[in-house]
Amino acid sequence: MIVGGHSKGGNFAVYACAFCDKDISEKRVIKIYTNDGPGFMNEVAESENYLSILSKTIKISPDSSPVGLFFLSKAERKVIKSDSKGFMQHNPYKWHVLGAEFESADARTDPFINMTISSWLNTMTDSNKKILVDYIFDSLEASGVTSFNELADNKWNSFNSIFKALTKIDPNDKTDIASSIKKLIASGKDVVISEKQKNAEIKKAEKNKVDNEKQE
């Protein structure tokens, strides 16, 4: 069997193979594909079951999609090209195909997103993470769409359904979601400041090197 899925489905595919009967995971499963799916909490990612299937697992992620960066994944990652940017790279219909394969990207082209997501997740409790991820997927499910194309074609109906779903969220959860979004913005600012300081230090070191060479 070759098992796989996109987004939450990719996460399910990996989890199912890790915790199903050993006769299936070891003898019948050939490959597991998680297409821009989020990873797992530490207790799963460090478990013997999860580690036992890593050699069969491939994670496919566009070069700057943030979704696949959620939580911990130790699977081999294949970085691919997409026509879109940022979150919209999560749409698999925008991924580049070359023959029978997705077209590889040399590396993740936007390290800012990677560092921001990592910094952001480090500020959140496990409970906050669960609430946020559940809200994201539950809201998309509430919209009634089954693909990104439907979401794009029926923007008003889709976002109206998502808004209605938001109004039904427990007030405490709303507070947690708002707090998480604020932390994301703060993390992005911290990364920008850190990168500016790092670049300034590099330029200063290069200038000092040139000045020293001139003096010599």
Side-chain angles (χ1 to χ4, degrees):
M1 294 188 293
I2 296 176
V3 188
H6 171 258
S7 192
K8 195 174 184 179
N11 177 279
F12 284 170
V14 176
Y15 189 90
C17 290
F19 293 94
C20 68
D21 191 288
K22 289 291 184 182
D23 285 339
I24 297 176
S25 64
E26 293 179 0
K27 299 176 182 178
R28 298 184 60 192
V29 174
I30 301 171
K31 281 290 182 186
I32 309 160
Y33 291 93
T34 172
N35 297 340
D36 208 29
F40 300 93
M41 305 293 281
N42 287 343
E43 57 264 33
V44 173
E46 300 292 344
S47 69
E48 182 180 342
N49 292 65
Y50 175 78
L51 296 175
S52 70
I53 63 165
L54 280 182
S55 62
K56 300 180 179 182
T57 306
I58 296 177
K59 181 164 188 170
I60 298 175
S61 299
D63 52 16
S64 61
S65 172
V67 178
L69 297 176
F70 286 145
F71 305 113
L72 182 61
S73 174
K74 297 184 177 182
E76 174 190 349
R77 174 176 289 161
K78 180 178 181 180
V79 183
I80 62 171
K81 295 180 180 179
S82 169
D83 285 332
S84 301
K85 300 292 183 184
F87 178 79
M88 290 311 296
Q89 283 200 344
H90 190 56
N91 182 351
Y93 295 105
K94 297 296 184 180
W95 296 358
H96 288 201
V97 176
L98 190 62
E101 302 284 342
F102 289 115
E103 186 176 2
S104 297
D106 293 334
R108 181 167 293 277
T109 58
D110 194 347
F112 168 76
I113 291 178
N114 197 343
M115 289 186 289
T116 298
I117 294 293
S118 297
S119 174
W120 176 43
L121 291 177
N122 286 334
T123 68
M124 297 169 64
T125 65
D126 290 348
S127 176
N128 290 147
K129 293 174 185 176
K130 181 180 185 303
I131 291 170
L132 182 65
V133 172
D134 283 347
Y135 168 69
I136 291 171
F137 288 107
D138 289 347
S139 296
L140 290 173
E141 185 177 338
S143 71
V145 302
T146 57
S147 72
F148 274 86
N149 288 341
E150 287 184 30
L151 186 64
D153 293 339
N154 301 284
K155 291 186 181 71
W156 175 252
N157 290 335
S158 298
F159 289 114
N160 188 41
S161 297
I162 292 173
F163 178 76
K164 287 182 179 178
L166 177 61
T167 62
K168 298 177 182 178
I169 293 178
D170 182 275
N172 292 329
D173 289 349
K174 284 184 183 179
T175 301
D176 286 337
I177 291 170
S179 175
S180 297
I181 292 173
K182 289 179 181 178
K183 288 177 180 178
L184 173 60
I185 295 171
S187 295
K189 289 181 179 178
D190 289 342
V191 170
V192 169
I193 293 172
S194 176
E195 285 299 294
K196 285 184 177 179
Q197 291 176 340
K198 187 187 299 182
N199 291 334
E201 290 173 0
I202 291 173
K203 289 181 179 179
K204 183 178 180 180
E206 290 175 347
K207 184 178 182 301
N208 289 338
K209 182 180 179 181
V210 171
D211 290 343
N212 290 335
E213 289 176 350
K214 287 180 179 179
Q215 290 177 1
E216 292 175 357

